[in-house]
Amino acid sequence: MPAEAKVSAKVNKPAKVDARATAPGSPPLTERQEARRRRILHASAQLASRGGFDAVQMREVAESSQVALGTLYRYFPSKIHLLVATMQDQLEHMHGTLRKKPPQGERAAERVAETLMRAFRALQREPHLADAMVRALTFADRSVSPEVDQVSRQTTAIILDAMGLEHPTPEQLSAVRVIEHTWHSALITWLSGRASIAQVKIDIETVCRLIDLTAPDAHE
Amino acid sequence: MPAEAKVSAKVNKPAKVDARATAPGSPPLTERQEARRRRILHASAQLASRGGFDAVQMREVAESSQVALGTLYRYFPSKIHLLVATMQDQLEHMHGTLRKKPPQGERAAERVAETLMRAFRALQREPHLADAMVRALTFADRSVSPEVDQVSRQTTAIILDAMGLEHPTPEQLSAVRVIEHTWHSALITWLSGRASIAQVKIDIETVCRLIDLTAPDAHE
DNA sequence: CGCTAATCTAGAACAAGTTTCAGACTTGAT
DNA sequence: ATCAAGTCTGAAACTTGTTCTAGATTAGCG
């Protein structure tokens, strides 16, 4: 198992491609490029679904997606970037799916817990994929911050959706952040076999109680 | 930056050494072996203090600690094992230090928050070391579960100490678990530059409020 | 259509984690 | 003190992430 040979890596690149999907900032991709990008993400998710983080090998991703290794690296400057992008992609699906059937609970805490448990059940269907994405997310270093942040924003949006809030207070945002922390860390302990599914459920329900604390007598 | 070349790794080894320090389970180490182990952990912490996770290179650790590469791997079957063991080591110090000056807060929540903030300030003094240890901890896969669990137990002990509890209820244990989740994840976001120190403080204080929920009218 | 810059490809090369191997050294028990 | 089993060493080999290079292709433009 080779190691993280970055040290002096992932700097000075001519004109990266990545970083679109949600931020068409740089040059808009041509159709073929968009197609390549999609093939890559698909191959990544597929390999991840098989064997998790370790099974996503850059050479294999390149081959599966019919792209040269160098090109793969032009689109995603590292394996971590690739997997985080894969997560962004999956999260979008998820958010779309969740939107359709909003949770029924009466209190916000219940709705958030139910939403997260739904997401959790979805992840359980592809535990290897979950492994790859979550491990990449928590292992990411500063060079991936923008992408990780994007994932975080998307997650926040999902939770706020479930809470039914438009203009959260700073207090409520803190609670949401703590919920996200718990969500990620609980997933990790489940993925590494140190906590059962039931345990994760309890932890999620426990942390969601914080929501009740942040707007008990408030209106909305 | 090489990758995780484990796949078929870290299985069938004759008679590992590792796994003592707290669990003198297997064969007791001779004096020279104990010394080697200590040299290795010291070298690991030193290299980590310099440049974080990436700076802990197995060849360098071996050289610094005057041990052959093969021997290093006999003591610690992977870089992750090594760094998690380094964390166990540091945590013991920390627990000892914290014991001496127990936090003063009145409510349990305050004491826990203060304790964690103390630990956080200690980590801030060696951010690179913190980076190496925390990244290893969250990246660890199933093969490191026992060691990661040990770290988790030690952390739990520290928190329960601060709460002043001997016999926590299941509810309280849930709260403690959630606090640990938040602690780890908040550290990650700080280490990767996505959250400020102030933010981490707020998150810790926020999650600690859960404690008040678990034994409000209970006695003590 | 013909040109130039940017992009893509195939493949070699490099870095660091991990494994393997033959031989020297220790340890523990006889 | 002596021998077998278990350790340690030094060095090479292997794996997979990452970088680099030279030559094809493609895209956009006049």
Side-chain angles (χ1 to χ4, degrees):
Chain A
M1 171 228 255
E4 315 308 303
K6 17 190 83 146
V7 179
S8 66
K10 59 195 51 155
V11 226
N12 52 356
K13 280 282 185 57
K16 318 277 187 61
V17 176
D18 192 274
R20 87 327 16 272
T22 42
S26 326
L29 301 189
T30 72
E31 212 165 297
R32 299 169 47 117
Q33 290 177 316
E34 195 53 59
R36 268 189 208 104
R37 178 162 198 285
R38 205 117 287 296
R39 285 207 304 281
I40 293 173
L41 286 176
H42 183 255
S44 168
Q46 183 147 339
L47 286 171
S49 297
R50 292 236 196 309
F53 189 89
D54 292 339
V56 180
Q57 304 196 347
M58 299 305 268
R59 281 174 248 259
E60 291 217 13
V61 172
E63 191 173 351
S64 297
S65 49
Q66 305 260 257
V67 133
L69 190 54
T71 304
L72 170 53
Y73 273 95
R74 172 190 279 278
Y75 280 69
F76 302 97
S78 77
K79 172 170 174 173
I80 300 290
H81 281 83
L82 171 57
L83 285 173
V84 171
T86 303
M87 178 147 202
Q88 289 180 202
D89 204 41
Q90 303 287 313
L91 252 194
E92 269 168 52
H93 279 214
M94 176 83 63
H95 196 171
T97 306
L98 291 175
R99 248 190 230 293
K100 290 175 190 162
K101 335 178 198 147
Q104 291 303 310
E106 188 156 316
R107 290 175 307 131
E110 293 175 57
R111 293 196 298 278
V112 172
E114 188 187 327
T115 300
L116 292 181
M117 282 306 294
R118 259 188 221 173
F120 183 35
R121 279 189 286 274
L123 291 180
Q124 285 170 233
R125 271 176 238 122
E126 293 291 354
H128 287 307
L129 176 58
D131 172 76
M133 298 189 306
V134 176
R135 298 262 293 287
L137 202 66
T138 64
F139 191 64
D141 65 10
R142 297 180 119 82
S143 72
V144 204
S145 284
E147 288 80 2
V148 174
D149 236 37
Q150 159 72 20
V151 168
S152 176
R153 273 194 300 280
Q154 181 94 18
T155 307
T156 301
I158 291 177
I159 295 175
L160 287 178
D161 260 25
M163 289 174 69
L165 286 180
E166 287 294 313
H167 306 296
T169 66
E171 256 205 330
Q172 291 174 316
L173 286 178
S174 293
V176 171
R177 259 200 323 279
V178 170
I179 291 172
E180 279 187 55
H181 288 320
T182 301
W183 167 244
H184 285 146
S185 181
L187 282 180
I188 290 279
T189 60
W190 167 63
L191 288 168
S192 58
R194 281 177 294 116
S196 65
I197 291 176
Q199 188 99 127
V200 172
K201 182 160 193 265
I202 292 176
D203 290 353
I204 288 176
E205 287 165 352
T206 300
V207 76
C208 282
R209 289 214 245 155
L210 268 180
I211 292 176
D212 298 331
L213 253 56
T214 61
D217 48 31
H219 32 52
E220 167 37 346
Chain B
M1 171 227 257
E4 315 310 303
K6 17 192 81 149
V7 179
S8 67
K10 62 196 47 157
V11 228
N12 52 354
K13 282 281 184 54
K16 318 279 187 60
V17 175
D18 193 274
R20 86 330 14 273
T22 42
S26 326
L29 302 189
T30 71
E31 213 165 295
R32 298 167 47 112
Q33 289 177 317
E34 194 53 59
R36 267 190 209 105
R37 178 163 199 283
R38 205 117 287 296
R39 285 205 306 280
I40 293 173
L41 287 175
H42 182 254
S44 168
Q46 183 146 339
L47 287 171
S49 296
R50 292 234 197 310
F53 189 89
D54 292 338
V56 180
Q57 304 196 348
M58 299 305 267
R59 282 174 248 258
E60 292 217 14
V61 172
E63 192 172 350
S64 297
S65 50
Q66 306 258 258
V67 135
L69 190 54
T71 305
L72 171 53
Y73 273 95
R74 173 191 280 278
Y75 280 70
F76 302 97
S78 79
K79 173 171 174 171
I80 300 290
H81 281 83
L82 171 57
L83 286 173
V84 171
T86 302
M87 178 147 203
Q88 289 181 200
D89 205 40
Q90 304 285 314
L91 251 195
E92 269 170 48
H93 280 212
M94 176 83 64
H95 196 172
T97 307
L98 291 175
R99 246 191 231 291
K100 290 176 190 162
K101 337 176 197 147
Q104 291 302 309
E106 191 157 316
R107 290 176 308 131
E110 294 175 56
R111 293 196 299 276
V112 172
E114 189 188 327
T115 298
L116 292 180
M117 281 307 293
R118 258 189 221 172
F120 184 34
R121 279 189 287 273
L123 291 180
Q124 287 175 51
R125 271 176 239 123
E126 294 291 353
H128 287 308
L129 176 58
D131 172 77
M133 297 189 306
V134 177
R135 298 262 291 289
L137 201 66
T138 64
F139 190 64
D141 64 10
R142 297 179 120 81
S143 72
V144 203
S145 284
E147 289 80 2
V148 174
D149 235 37
Q150 160 71 19
V151 167
S152 177
R153 272 194 301 279
Q154 181 93 19
T155 307
T156 302
I158 290 177
I159 296 175
L160 288 179
D161 260 23
M163 290 175 68
L165 287 180
E166 288 293 314
H167 305 297
T169 67
E171 256 205 330
Q172 291 174 317
L173 286 177
S174 294
V176 171
R177 258 200 323 278
V178 170
I179 290 173
E180 279 188 54
H181 288 320
T182 301
W183 166 245
H184 285 146
S185 181
L187 282 180
I188 290 278
T189 62
W190 167 63
L191 289 168
S192 58
R194 282 178 292 119
S196 64
I197 291 176
Q199 188 100 129
V200 171
K201 182 161 192 266
I202 292 175
D203 290 354
I204 288 176
E205 285 164 354
T206 300
V207 75
C208 282
R209 290 213 245 155
L210 269 180
I211 292 178
D212 297 333
L213 256 58
T214 60
D217 47 32
H219 29 52
E220 154 44 341

